[in-house]
Amino acid sequence: MSATGRERARERHWICARRLRERRRQLGLTQVDLVRRLDRRGARTTNRVLSEMENGRGLDLGWLPELAIALECTVTYLVGLTADPTRWEPDPRPSWVLGPDVPDVNQL
């Protein structure tokens, strides 16, 4: 992966970590509350692990569907492809924002 590719991946990683924290707070949830929601879905974790995810450490893409359900939003929102927590389709953007490896939805 090129330096630019690594930078884009790192930026997407931080967007997701930041969105996890922001969405949890928008819903008025503590980390313990969110851990309980995840636990009810069979996704066992701790608030320490959640804190690490919110701070960009230990963020596992495999957890995104469970996190999205617990946070009442879409995976598309968590990864920063839309500003609307309920929207599944990515927002229309110039392809340079997403990078050359992500197709521009306007050109599909």
Side-chain angles (χ1 to χ4, degrees), residues 1-17 56 59 61 79 97-102:
M1 186 183 299
S2 68
T4 304
R6 282 191 297 272
E7 289 167 9
R8 268 195 312 276
R10 188 175 301 124
E11 181 181 345
R12 290 177 189 149
H13 182 89
W14 283 108
I15 287 170
C16 187
L59 186 55
L61 294 178
V79 297
V97 173
L98 299 175
D101 58 327
V102 179

mmCIF file with all atom_site columns, all heavy atoms in Angstrom, residues 1-17 56 59 61 79 97-102:
data_model
loop_
_atom_site.group_PDB
_atom_site.id
_atom_site.type_symbol
_atom_site.label_atom_id
_atom_site.label_alt_id
_atom_site.label_comp_id
_atom_site.label_asym_id
_atom_site.label_entity_id
_atom_site.label_seq_id
_atom_site.pdbx_PDB_ins_code
_atom_site.Cartn_x
_atom_site.Cartn_y
_atom_site.Cartn_z
_atom_site.occupancy
_atom_site.B_iso_or_equiv
_atom_site.pdbx_formal_charge
_atom_site.auth_seq_id
_atom_site.auth_comp_id
_atom_site.auth_asym_id
_atom_site.auth_atom_id
_atom_site.pdbx_PDB_model_num
ATOM 1   N N   . MET A 1 1   ? 0.852   -1.172 0.000  1.00 0.00 ? 1   MET A N   1
ATOM 2   C CA  . MET A 1 1   ? 0.000   0.000  0.000  1.00 0.00 ? 1   MET A CA  1
ATOM 3   C C   . MET A 1 1   ? 0.894   1.229  0.000  1.00 0.00 ? 1   MET A C   1
ATOM 4   O O   . MET A 1 1   ? 1.862   1.313  0.729  1.00 0.00 ? 1   MET A O   1
ATOM 5   C CB  . MET A 1 1   ? -0.895  -0.013 1.248  1.00 0.00 ? 1   MET A CB  1
ATOM 6   C CG  . MET A 1 1   ? -1.918  1.090  1.263  1.00 0.00 ? 1   MET A CG  1
ATOM 7   S SD  . MET A 1 1   ? -2.959  1.169  2.767  1.00 0.00 ? 1   MET A SD  1
ATOM 8   C CE  . MET A 1 1   ? -3.770  -0.397 2.726  1.00 0.00 ? 1   MET A CE  1
ATOM 9   N N   . SER A 1 2   ? 0.575   2.192  -0.848 1.00 0.00 ? 2   SER A N   1
ATOM 10  C CA  . SER A 1 2   ? 1.380   3.402  -0.945 1.00 0.00 ? 2   SER A CA  1
ATOM 11  C C   . SER A 1 2   ? 1.196   4.267  0.296  1.00 0.00 ? 2   SER A C   1
ATOM 12  O O   . SER A 1 2   ? 0.281   4.065  1.089  1.00 0.00 ? 2   SER A O   1
ATOM 13  C CB  . SER A 1 2   ? 0.954   4.195  -2.188 1.00 0.00 ? 2   SER A CB  1
ATOM 14  O OG  . SER A 1 2   ? -0.350  4.707  -2.007 1.00 0.00 ? 2   SER A OG  1
ATOM 15  N N   . ALA A 1 3   ? 2.083   5.262  0.440  1.00 0.00 ? 3   ALA A N   1
ATOM 16  C CA  . ALA A 1 3   ? 1.969   6.181  1.578  1.00 0.00 ? 3   ALA A CA  1
ATOM 17  C C   . ALA A 1 3   ? 0.613   6.866  1.557  1.00 0.00 ? 3   ALA A C   1
ATOM 18  O O   . ALA A 1 3   ? -0.033  7.023  2.586  1.00 0.00 ? 3   ALA A O   1
ATOM 19  C CB  . ALA A 1 3   ? 3.098   7.205  1.540  1.00 0.00 ? 3   ALA A CB  1
ATOM 20  N N   . THR A 1 4   ? 0.164   7.270  0.373  1.00 0.00 ? 4   THR A N   1
ATOM 21  C CA  . THR A 1 4   ? -1.137  7.923  0.259  1.00 0.00 ? 4   THR A CA  1
ATOM 22  C C   . THR A 1 4   ? -2.244  6.955  0.650  1.00 0.00 ? 4   THR A C   1
ATOM 23  O O   . THR A 1 4   ? -3.193  7.334  1.328  1.00 0.00 ? 4   THR A O   1
ATOM 24  C CB  . THR A 1 4   ? -1.359  8.431  -1.172 1.00 0.00 ? 4   THR A CB  1
ATOM 25  O OG1 . THR A 1 4   ? -0.272  9.293  -1.520 1.00 0.00 ? 4   THR A OG1 1
ATOM 26  C CG2 . THR A 1 4   ? -2.646  9.186  -1.294 1.00 0.00 ? 4   THR A CG2 1
ATOM 27  N N   . GLY A 1 5   ? -2.129  5.704  0.241  1.00 0.00 ? 5   GLY A N   1
ATOM 28  C CA  . GLY A 1 5   ? -3.120  4.693  0.608  1.00 0.00 ? 5   GLY A CA  1
ATOM 29  C C   . GLY A 1 5   ? -3.162  4.462  2.099  1.00 0.00 ? 5   GLY A C   1
ATOM 30  O O   . GLY A 1 5   ? -4.234  4.331  2.690  1.00 0.00 ? 5   GLY A O   1
ATOM 31  N N   . ARG A 1 6   ? -1.988  4.414  2.727  1.00 0.00 ? 6   ARG A N   1
ATOM 32  C CA  . ARG A 1 6   ? -1.923  4.253  4.182  1.00 0.00 ? 6   ARG A CA  1
ATOM 33  C C   . ARG A 1 6   ? -2.541  5.450  4.888  1.00 0.00 ? 6   ARG A C   1
ATOM 34  O O   . ARG A 1 6   ? -3.237  5.300  5.888  1.00 0.00 ? 6   ARG A O   1
ATOM 35  C CB  . ARG A 1 6   ? -0.488  4.040  4.644  1.00 0.00 ? 6   ARG A CB  1
ATOM 36  C CG  . ARG A 1 6   ? 0.022   2.630  4.425  1.00 0.00 ? 6   ARG A CG  1
ATOM 37  C CD  . ARG A 1 6   ? 1.331   2.402  5.140  1.00 0.00 ? 6   ARG A CD  1
ATOM 38  N NE  . ARG A 1 6   ? 2.400   3.252  4.656  1.00 0.00 ? 6   ARG A NE  1
ATOM 39  C CZ  . ARG A 1 6   ? 3.208   2.955  3.638  1.00 0.00 ? 6   ARG A CZ  1
ATOM 40  N NH1 . ARG A 1 6   ? 3.067   1.827  2.992  1.00 0.00 ? 6   ARG A NH1 1
ATOM 41  N NH2 . ARG A 1 6   ? 4.158   3.792  3.269  1.00 0.00 ? 6   ARG A NH2 1
ATOM 42  N N   . GLU A 1 7   ? -2.290  6.641  4.366  1.00 0.00 ? 7   GLU A N   1
ATOM 43  C CA  . GLU A 1 7   ? -2.851  7.849  4.969  1.00 0.00 ? 7   GLU A CA  1
ATOM 44  C C   . GLU A 1 7   ? -4.373  7.838  4.877  1.00 0.00 ? 7   GLU A C   1
ATOM 45  O O   . GLU A 1 7   ? -5.058  8.185  5.842  1.00 0.00 ? 7   GLU A O   1
ATOM 46  C CB  . GLU A 1 7   ? -2.290  9.096  4.282  1.00 0.00 ? 7   GLU A CB  1
ATOM 47  C CG  . GLU A 1 7   ? -0.835  9.339  4.598  1.00 0.00 ? 7   GLU A CG  1
ATOM 48  C CD  . GLU A 1 7   ? -0.195  10.377 3.693  1.00 0.00 ? 7   GLU A CD  1
ATOM 49  O OE1 . GLU A 1 7   ? -0.925  11.041 2.919  1.00 0.00 ? 7   GLU A OE1 1
ATOM 50  O OE2 . GLU A 1 7   ? 1.029   10.512 3.754  1.00 0.00 ? 7   GLU A OE2 1
ATOM 51  N N   . ARG A 1 8   ? -4.911  7.425  3.719  1.00 0.00 ? 8   ARG A N   1
ATOM 52  C CA  . ARG A 1 8   ? -6.364  7.339  3.559  1.00 0.00 ? 8   ARG A CA  1
ATOM 53  C C   . ARG A 1 8   ? -6.958  6.311  4.511  1.00 0.00 ? 8   ARG A C   1
ATOM 54  O O   . ARG A 1 8   ? -7.976  6.551  5.151  1.00 0.00 ? 8   ARG A O   1
ATOM 55  C CB  . ARG A 1 8   ? -6.731  6.975  2.119  1.00 0.00 ? 8   ARG A CB  1
ATOM 56  C CG  . ARG A 1 8   ? -6.957  8.153  1.233  1.00 0.00 ? 8   ARG A CG  1
ATOM 57  C CD  . ARG A 1 8   ? -7.656  7.749  -0.041 1.00 0.00 ? 8   ARG A CD  1
ATOM 58  N NE  . ARG A 1 8   ? -7.083  6.597  -0.706 1.00 0.00 ? 8   ARG A NE  1
ATOM 59  C CZ  . ARG A 1 8   ? -6.062  6.624  -1.533 1.00 0.00 ? 8   ARG A CZ  1
ATOM 60  N NH1 . ARG A 1 8   ? -5.481  7.767  -1.821 1.00 0.00 ? 8   ARG A NH1 1
ATOM 61  N NH2 . ARG A 1 8   ? -5.614  5.527  -2.100 1.00 0.00 ? 8   ARG A NH2 1
ATOM 62  N N   . ALA A 1 9   ? -6.296  5.158  4.624  1.00 0.00 ? 9   ALA A N   1
ATOM 63  C CA  . ALA A 1 9   ? -6.782  4.108  5.526  1.00 0.00 ? 9   ALA A CA  1
ATOM 64  C C   . ALA A 1 9   ? -6.741  4.598  6.966  1.00 0.00 ? 9   ALA A C   1
ATOM 65  O O   . ALA A 1 9   ? -7.683  4.367  7.736  1.00 0.00 ? 9   ALA A O   1
ATOM 66  C CB  . ALA A 1 9   ? -5.944  2.843  5.358  1.00 0.00 ? 9   ALA A CB  1
ATOM 67  N N   . ARG A 1 10  ? -5.693  5.286  7.342  1.00 0.00 ? 10  ARG A N   1
ATOM 68  C CA  . ARG A 1 10  ? -5.572  5.822  8.701  1.00 0.00 ? 10  ARG A CA  1
ATOM 69  C C   . ARG A 1 10  ? -6.667  6.855  8.956  1.00 0.00 ? 10  ARG A C   1
ATOM 70  O O   . ARG A 1 10  ? -7.290  6.861  10.015 1.00 0.00 ? 10  ARG A O   1
ATOM 71  C CB  . ARG A 1 10  ? -4.189  6.451  8.895  1.00 0.00 ? 10  ARG A CB  1
ATOM 72  C CG  . ARG A 1 10  ? -3.901  6.854  10.323 1.00 0.00 ? 10  ARG A CG  1
ATOM 73  C CD  . ARG A 1 10  ? -2.481  7.363  10.521 1.00 0.00 ? 10  ARG A CD  1
ATOM 74  N NE  . ARG A 1 10  ? -1.514  6.353  10.155 1.00 0.00 ? 10  ARG A NE  1
ATOM 75  C CZ  . ARG A 1 10  ? -0.547  6.527  9.250  1.00 0.00 ? 10  ARG A CZ  1
ATOM 76  N NH1 . ARG A 1 10  ? -0.411  7.681  8.634  1.00 0.00 ? 10  ARG A NH1 1
ATOM 77  N NH2 . ARG A 1 10  ? 0.312   5.563  8.977  1.00 0.00 ? 10  ARG A NH2 1
ATOM 78  N N   . GLU A 1 11  ? -6.936  7.706  7.973  1.00 0.00 ? 11  GLU A N   1
ATOM 79  C CA  . GLU A 1 11  ? -7.987  8.713  8.124  1.00 0.00 ? 11  GLU A CA  1
ATOM 80  C C   . GLU A 1 11  ? -9.354  8.045  8.295  1.00 0.00 ? 11  GLU A C   1
ATOM 81  O O   . GLU A 1 11  ? -10.136 8.430  9.149  1.00 0.00 ? 11  GLU A O   1
ATOM 82  C CB  . GLU A 1 11  ? -8.011  9.641  6.914  1.00 0.00 ? 11  GLU A CB  1
ATOM 83  C CG  . GLU A 1 11  ? -9.068  10.714 7.020  1.00 0.00 ? 11  GLU A CG  1
ATOM 84  C CD  . GLU A 1 11  ? -9.100  11.629 5.807  1.00 0.00 ? 11  GLU A CD  1
ATOM 85  O OE1 . GLU A 1 11  ? -8.154  11.625 5.007  1.00 0.00 ? 11  GLU A OE1 1
ATOM 86  O OE2 . GLU A 1 11  ? -10.100 12.343 5.659  1.00 0.00 ? 11  GLU A OE2 1
ATOM 87  N N   . ARG A 1 12  ? -9.645  7.027  7.505  1.00 0.00 ? 12  ARG A N   1
ATOM 88  C CA  . ARG A 1 12  ? -10.917 6.314  7.625  1.00 0.00 ? 12  ARG A CA  1
ATOM 89  C C   . ARG A 1 12  ? -11.036 5.656  8.991  1.00 0.00 ? 12  ARG A C   1
ATOM 90  O O   . ARG A 1 12  ? -12.104 5.640  9.596  1.00 0.00 ? 12  ARG A O   1
ATOM 91  C CB  . ARG A 1 12  ? -11.038 5.267  6.530  1.00 0.00 ? 12  ARG A CB  1
ATOM 92  C CG  . ARG A 1 12  ? -11.228 5.866  5.171  1.00 0.00 ? 12  ARG A CG  1
ATOM 93  C CD  . ARG A 1 12  ? -11.274 4.795  4.109  1.00 0.00 ? 12  ARG A CD  1
ATOM 94  N NE  . ARG A 1 12  ? -11.236 5.413  2.799  1.00 0.00 ? 12  ARG A NE  1
ATOM 95  C CZ  . ARG A 1 12  ? -10.692 4.856  1.747  1.00 0.00 ? 12  ARG A CZ  1
ATOM 96  N NH1 . ARG A 1 12  ? -10.145 3.657  1.821  1.00 0.00 ? 12  ARG A NH1 1
ATOM 97  N NH2 . ARG A 1 12  ? -10.699 5.476  0.582  1.00 0.00 ? 12  ARG A NH2 1
ATOM 98  N N   . HIS A 1 13  ? -9.939  5.124  9.471  1.00 0.00 ? 13  HIS A N   1
ATOM 99  C CA  . HIS A 1 13  ? -9.899  4.496  10.795 1.00 0.00 ? 13  HIS A CA  1
ATOM 100 C C   . HIS A 1 13  ? -10.284 5.516  11.867 1.00 0.00 ? 13  HIS A C   1
ATOM 101 O O   . HIS A 1 13  ? -11.105 5.237  12.740 1.00 0.00 ? 13  HIS A O   1
ATOM 102 C CB  . HIS A 1 13  ? -8.491  3.946  11.023 1.00 0.00 ? 13  HIS A CB  1
ATOM 103 C CG  . HIS A 1 13  ? -8.311  3.238  12.311 1.00 0.00 ? 13  HIS A CG  1
ATOM 104 N ND1 . HIS A 1 13  ? -8.540  1.903  12.461 1.00 0.00 ? 13  HIS A ND1 1
ATOM 105 C CD2 . HIS A 1 13  ? -7.913  3.700  13.523 1.00 0.00 ? 13  HIS A CD2 1
ATOM 106 C CE1 . HIS A 1 13  ? -8.295  1.554  13.703 1.00 0.00 ? 13  HIS A CE1 1
ATOM 107 N NE2 . HIS A 1 13  ? -7.912  2.627  14.369 1.00 0.00 ? 13  HIS A NE2 1
ATOM 108 N N   . TRP A 1 14  ? -9.689  6.705  11.820 1.00 0.00 ? 14  TRP A N   1
ATOM 109 C CA  . TRP A 1 14  ? -9.970  7.734  12.817 1.00 0.00 ? 14  TRP A CA  1
ATOM 110 C C   . TRP A 1 14  ? -11.387 8.270  12.689 1.00 0.00 ? 14  TRP A C   1
ATOM 111 O O   . TRP A 1 14  ? -12.022 8.600  13.695 1.00 0.00 ? 14  TRP A O   1
ATOM 112 C CB  . TRP A 1 14  ? -8.949  8.864  12.740 1.00 0.00 ? 14  TRP A CB  1
ATOM 113 C CG  . TRP A 1 14  ? -7.665  8.453  13.359 1.00 0.00 ? 14  TRP A CG  1
ATOM 114 C CD1 . TRP A 1 14  ? -6.499  8.178  12.722 1.00 0.00 ? 14  TRP A CD1 1
ATOM 115 C CD2 . TRP A 1 14  ? -7.429  8.206  14.744 1.00 0.00 ? 14  TRP A CD2 1
ATOM 116 N NE1 . TRP A 1 14  ? -5.541  7.787  13.641 1.00 0.00 ? 14  TRP A NE1 1
ATOM 117 C CE2 . TRP A 1 14  ? -6.085  7.801  14.876 1.00 0.00 ? 14  TRP A CE2 1
ATOM 118 C CE3 . TRP A 1 14  ? -8.213  8.299  15.884 1.00 0.00 ? 14  TRP A CE3 1
ATOM 119 C CZ2 . TRP A 1 14  ? -5.521  7.490  16.104 1.00 0.00 ? 14  TRP A CZ2 1
ATOM 120 C CZ3 . TRP A 1 14  ? -7.646  7.986  17.114 1.00 0.00 ? 14  TRP A CZ3 1
ATOM 121 C CH2 . TRP A 1 14  ? -6.316  7.591  17.210 1.00 0.00 ? 14  TRP A CH2 1
ATOM 122 N N   . ILE A 1 15  ? -11.895 8.359  11.462 1.00 0.00 ? 15  ILE A N   1
ATOM 123 C CA  . ILE A 1 15  ? -13.284 8.787  11.272 1.00 0.00 ? 15  ILE A CA  1
ATOM 124 C C   . ILE A 1 15  ? -14.209 7.820  11.993 1.00 0.00 ? 15  ILE A C   1
ATOM 125 O O   . ILE A 1 15  ? -15.122 8.220  12.715 1.00 0.00 ? 15  ILE A O   1
ATOM 126 C CB  . ILE A 1 15  ? -13.642 8.879  9.774  1.00 0.00 ? 15  ILE A CB  1
ATOM 127 C CG1 . ILE A 1 15  ? -12.962 10.092 9.150  1.00 0.00 ? 15  ILE A CG1 1
ATOM 128 C CG2 . ILE A 1 15  ? -15.159 8.939  9.579  1.00 0.00 ? 15  ILE A CG2 1
ATOM 129 C CD1 . ILE A 1 15  ? -13.061 10.135 7.632  1.00 0.00 ? 15  ILE A CD1 1
ATOM 130 N N   . CYS A 1 16  ? -13.983 6.532  11.817 1.00 0.00 ? 16  CYS A N   1
ATOM 131 C CA  . CYS A 1 16  ? -14.822 5.517  12.443 1.00 0.00 ? 16  CYS A CA  1
ATOM 132 C C   . CYS A 1 16  ? -14.724 5.598  13.960 1.00 0.00 ? 16  CYS A C   1
ATOM 133 O O   . CYS A 1 16  ? -15.748 5.583  14.653 1.00 0.00 ? 16  CYS A O   1
ATOM 134 C CB  . CYS A 1 16  ? -14.433 4.131  11.942 1.00 0.00 ? 16  CYS A CB  1
ATOM 135 S SG  . CYS A 1 16  ? -15.550 2.839  12.503 1.00 0.00 ? 16  CYS A SG  1
ATOM 136 N N   . ALA A 1 17  ? -13.542 5.718  14.493 1.00 0.00 ? 17  ALA A N   1
ATOM 137 C CA  . ALA A 1 17  ? -13.364 5.813  15.947 1.00 0.00 ? 17  ALA A CA  1
ATOM 138 C C   . ALA A 1 17  ? -14.099 7.037  16.493 1.00 0.00 ? 17  ALA A C   1
ATOM 139 O O   . ALA A 1 17  ? -14.815 6.949  17.498 1.00 0.00 ? 17  ALA A O   1
ATOM 140 C CB  . ALA A 1 17  ? -11.877 5.890  16.289 1.00 0.00 ? 17  ALA A CB  1
ATOM 141 N N   . GLY A 1 56  ? -9.320  4.780  18.705 1.00 0.00 ? 56  GLY A N   1
ATOM 142 C CA  . GLY A 1 56  ? -8.595  4.351  17.514 1.00 0.00 ? 56  GLY A CA  1
ATOM 143 C C   . GLY A 1 56  ? -7.702  3.154  17.699 1.00 0.00 ? 56  GLY A C   1
ATOM 144 O O   . GLY A 1 56  ? -6.937  2.800  16.812 1.00 0.00 ? 56  GLY A O   1
ATOM 145 N N   . LEU A 1 59  ? -9.727  -1.274 16.879 1.00 0.00 ? 59  LEU A N   1
ATOM 146 C CA  . LEU A 1 59  ? -10.968 -1.177 16.120 1.00 0.00 ? 59  LEU A CA  1
ATOM 147 C C   . LEU A 1 59  ? -11.027 -2.323 15.117 1.00 0.00 ? 59  LEU A C   1
ATOM 148 O O   . LEU A 1 59  ? -10.217 -2.413 14.209 1.00 0.00 ? 59  LEU A O   1
ATOM 149 C CB  . LEU A 1 59  ? -11.036 0.171  15.402 1.00 0.00 ? 59  LEU A CB  1
ATOM 150 C CG  . LEU A 1 59  ? -12.315 0.513  14.674 1.00 0.00 ? 59  LEU A CG  1
ATOM 151 C CD1 . LEU A 1 59  ? -13.509 0.425  15.611 1.00 0.00 ? 59  LEU A CD1 1
ATOM 152 C CD2 . LEU A 1 59  ? -12.214 1.903  14.099 1.00 0.00 ? 59  LEU A CD2 1
ATOM 153 N N   . LEU A 1 61  ? -13.047 -4.305 12.258 1.00 0.00 ? 61  LEU A N   1
ATOM 154 C CA  . LEU A 1 61  ? -14.112 -4.122 11.268 1.00 0.00 ? 61  LEU A CA  1
ATOM 155 C C   . LEU A 1 61  ? -15.229 -5.141 11.428 1.00 0.00 ? 61  LEU A C   1
ATOM 156 O O   . LEU A 1 61  ? -16.371 -4.867 11.088 1.00 0.00 ? 61  LEU A O   1
ATOM 157 C CB  . LEU A 1 61  ? -13.537 -4.206 9.855  1.00 0.00 ? 61  LEU A CB  1
ATOM 158 C CG  . LEU A 1 61  ? -12.567 -3.101 9.465  1.00 0.00 ? 61  LEU A CG  1
ATOM 159 C CD1 . LEU A 1 61  ? -12.038 -3.336 8.054  1.00 0.00 ? 61  LEU A CD1 1
ATOM 160 C CD2 . LEU A 1 61  ? -13.213 -1.742 9.576  1.00 0.00 ? 61  LEU A CD2 1
ATOM 161 N N   . VAL A 1 79  ? -18.325 4.476  8.973  1.00 0.00 ? 79  VAL A N   1
ATOM 162 C CA  . VAL A 1 79  ? -17.068 4.558  8.225  1.00 0.00 ? 79  VAL A CA  1
ATOM 163 C C   . VAL A 1 79  ? -16.901 5.895  7.508  1.00 0.00 ? 79  VAL A C   1
ATOM 164 O O   . VAL A 1 79  ? -15.927 6.102  6.796  1.00 0.00 ? 79  VAL A O   1
ATOM 165 C CB  . VAL A 1 79  ? -16.883 3.380  7.248  1.00 0.00 ? 79  VAL A CB  1
ATOM 166 C CG1 . VAL A 1 79  ? -16.792 2.066  7.999  1.00 0.00 ? 79  VAL A CG1 1
ATOM 167 C CG2 . VAL A 1 79  ? -17.968 3.344  6.200  1.00 0.00 ? 79  VAL A CG2 1
ATOM 168 N N   . VAL A 1 97  ? -12.182 12.573 -2.917 1.00 0.00 ? 97  VAL A N   1
ATOM 169 C CA  . VAL A 1 97  ? -12.377 12.497 -1.477 1.00 0.00 ? 97  VAL A CA  1
ATOM 170 C C   . VAL A 1 97  ? -12.231 11.053 -1.002 1.00 0.00 ? 97  VAL A C   1
ATOM 171 O O   . VAL A 1 97  ? -11.635 10.775 0.022  1.00 0.00 ? 97  VAL A O   1
ATOM 172 C CB  . VAL A 1 97  ? -13.769 13.047 -1.083 1.00 0.00 ? 97  VAL A CB  1
ATOM 173 C CG1 . VAL A 1 97  ? -14.042 12.809 0.392  1.00 0.00 ? 97  VAL A CG1 1
ATOM 174 C CG2 . VAL A 1 97  ? -13.855 14.530 -1.408 1.00 0.00 ? 97  VAL A CG2 1
ATOM 175 N N   . LEU A 1 98  ? -12.796 10.135 -1.777 1.00 0.00 ? 98  LEU A N   1
ATOM 176 C CA  . LEU A 1 98  ? -12.764 8.736  -1.392 1.00 0.00 ? 98  LEU A CA  1
ATOM 177 C C   . LEU A 1 98  ? -11.452 8.061  -1.775 1.00 0.00 ? 98  LEU A C   1
ATOM 178 O O   . LEU A 1 98  ? -11.074 7.073  -1.189 1.00 0.00 ? 98  LEU A O   1
ATOM 179 C CB  . LEU A 1 98  ? -13.933 7.985  -2.043 1.00 0.00 ? 98  LEU A CB  1
ATOM 180 C CG  . LEU A 1 98  ? -15.312 8.495  -1.657 1.00 0.00 ? 98  LEU A CG  1
ATOM 181 C CD1 . LEU A 1 98  ? -16.367 7.759  -2.467 1.00 0.00 ? 98  LEU A CD1 1
ATOM 182 C CD2 . LEU A 1 98  ? -15.567 8.304  -0.184 1.00 0.00 ? 98  LEU A CD2 1
ATOM 183 N N   . GLY A 1 99  ? -10.783 8.574  -2.776 1.00 0.00 ? 99  GLY A N   1
ATOM 184 C CA  . GLY A 1 99  ? -9.543  7.967  -3.236 1.00 0.00 ? 99  GLY A CA  1
ATOM 185 C C   . GLY A 1 99  ? -9.774  7.123  -4.463 1.00 0.00 ? 99  GLY A C   1
ATOM 186 O O   . GLY A 1 99  ? -10.905 6.741  -4.771 1.00 0.00 ? 99  GLY A O   1
ATOM 187 N N   . PRO A 1 100 ? -8.717  6.807  -5.186 1.00 0.00 ? 100 PRO A N   1
ATOM 188 C CA  . PRO A 1 100 ? -8.850  6.082  -6.442 1.00 0.00 ? 100 PRO A CA  1
ATOM 189 C C   . PRO A 1 100 ? -9.315  4.642  -6.274 1.00 0.00 ? 100 PRO A C   1
ATOM 190 O O   . PRO A 1 100 ? -9.833  4.049  -7.211 1.00 0.00 ? 100 PRO A O   1
ATOM 191 C CB  . PRO A 1 100 ? -7.441  6.135  -7.022 1.00 0.00 ? 100 PRO A CB  1
ATOM 192 C CG  . PRO A 1 100 ? -6.554  6.345  -5.844 1.00 0.00 ? 100 PRO A CG  1
ATOM 193 C CD  . PRO A 1 100 ? -7.354  7.145  -4.846 1.00 0.00 ? 100 PRO A CD  1
ATOM 194 N N   . ASP A 1 101 ? -9.204  4.072  -5.081 1.00 0.00 ? 101 ASP A N   1
ATOM 195 C CA  . ASP A 1 101 ? -9.604  2.688  -4.873 1.00 0.00 ? 101 ASP A CA  1
ATOM 196 C C   . ASP A 1 101 ? -11.082 2.536  -4.525 1.00 0.00 ? 101 ASP A C   1
ATOM 197 O O   . ASP A 1 101 ? -11.609 1.445  -4.449 1.00 0.00 ? 101 ASP A O   1
ATOM 198 C CB  . ASP A 1 101 ? -8.760  2.044  -3.774 1.00 0.00 ? 101 ASP A CB  1
ATOM 199 C CG  . ASP A 1 101 ? -8.857  2.793  -2.452 1.00 0.00 ? 101 ASP A CG  1
ATOM 200 O OD1 . ASP A 1 101 ? -9.012  4.026  -2.484 1.00 0.00 ? 101 ASP A OD1 1
ATOM 201 O OD2 . ASP A 1 101 ? -8.762  2.158  -1.401 1.00 0.00 ? 101 ASP A OD2 1
ATOM 202 N N   . VAL A 1 102 ? -11.795 3.659  -4.328 1.00 0.00 ? 102 VAL A N   1
ATOM 203 C CA  . VAL A 1 102 ? -13.211 3.624  -3.998 1.00 0.00 ? 102 VAL A CA  1
ATOM 204 C C   . VAL A 1 102 ? -13.975 4.242  -5.152 1.00 0.00 ? 102 VAL A C   1
ATOM 205 O O   . VAL A 1 102 ? -13.717 5.374  -5.536 1.00 0.00 ? 102 VAL A O   1
ATOM 206 C CB  . VAL A 1 102 ? -13.508 4.398  -2.692 1.00 0.00 ? 102 VAL A CB  1
ATOM 207 C CG1 . VAL A 1 102 ? -14.989 4.366  -2.369 1.00 0.00 ? 102 VAL A CG1 1
ATOM 208 C CG2 . VAL A 1 102 ? -12.679 3.833  -1.555 1.00 0.00 ? 102 VAL A CG2 1
#
